[in-house]
Amino acid sequence: MSDDGELEPPAGMDDTHIGAGVFDETMGPGSSFAHLYRGEIHRMKSWRERLDRTSNWAITLMAGILTWSFSAQTHPHYLILLGVVTLSIFLSIEARRFRAYDIWRSRVRLIQQNVWAYALDPDGGVLDENWREKLGEDYRTPNMKIPFEEALAHRLRRVYLPLFLVMLAAWVIQLTTYTDGTTPVGSAGIGGVPGNIIVAFVAGFYATLLGISFRPREWHVNGELIPSDVTGWEESEYGGS
C-alpha cells in the first residue's frame, strides 16, 4: 500500500499485471467494481433499446400493410403474405440482437446474483462459487450464451407470435370476404401457383413458428422473465454471431 492509500502490485510485478487486486479494495459506490457494473448496465440498456426499435418498426410496418390491404377490395391478398415475410426478417434480426443483448444481461445478472444479492442478504450465500472465474473468462473471450433458435423462441413468445397471428387472421379475412365467387383456397392462388399449395405453405410456416415457440426446451436465458435453474454460463459452444 502506497502512502496515498493506493494498492501497489507485488514486488517484481510489471504493468501487465496492473489489474491484480483492483477489485479487492472497498466495494463502495466509487470502487472500480461499481464502475464496471454501471458500464455493463449501460451496455445492456443500449442493446435493449435496439431490440425495442426493431419491434417498433415491425409493428409500424404491419399496421401500414394491413391498413392499405383493407382500404380497397381490389388490393391483392398476397400483400399480407409479403408482410409476413417482412415480419420474419425483423424477427431474425431481433433474434440476433437478442443474443448480443444477452451477453451484457448475463453479466449484469451474474453480478447481481453473486455480489449485490449477497451484500444485501449474506445469509442467502453466493449463487455460483465460480462467478469471478466465469466473468473473467467471459471478458477474455466473450461468447453467446443462448442458441439462435432459443432467441427466436424468446422473441416469438414475447412479441412476434401475436403479430404473426394477426397477419394470419387478416389474410383469412381477406380471402373469405374480399373475393367474389371463389372458395378461400381457390382465391389464395398467386399467379400460376395454385391456392392449395399457398395454403399448405402458410400452414407449414405457422406450424414451424408454433413448434419453435412452445417445444419443450432447457432455457439458457439468464434473466428475470423466465424462471430457470440454468445460470446461462455453463454453455459456451453457442459462440459466434
Side-chain angles (χ1 to χ4, degrees), residues 54-91:
T54 309
S55 301
N56 291 340
W57 275 108
I59 293 171
T60 301
L61 179 68
M62 184 190 75
I65 289 176
L66 292 180
T67 299
W68 194 84
S69 296
F70 286 98
S71 62
Q73 189 170 358
T74 56
H75 290 164
H77 70 88
Y78 57 77
L79 289 176
I80 297 178
L81 296 182
L82 289 177
V84 172
V85 173
T86 307
L87 272 183
S88 302
I89 295 174
F90 276 113
L91 172 62

Side-chain angles (χ1 to χ4, degrees), residues 136-184:
E137 182 59 31
D138 196 62
Y139 276 118
R140 293 186 181 94
T141 310
N143 283 301
M144 301 290 184
K145 307 301 185 300
I146 58 176
F148 182 74
E149 191 260 353
E150 180 179 327
L152 283 176
H154 190 282
R155 302 319 294 160
L156 278 169
R157 294 175 66 163
R158 299 299 175 188
V159 180
Y160 281 85
L161 189 58
L163 301 183
F164 278 111
L165 293 178
V166 168
M167 297 295 280
L168 177 62
W171 186 60
V172 172
I173 293 173
Q174 182 90 341
L175 292 178
T176 55
T177 61
Y178 276 55
T179 55
D180 298 323
T182 58
T183 64

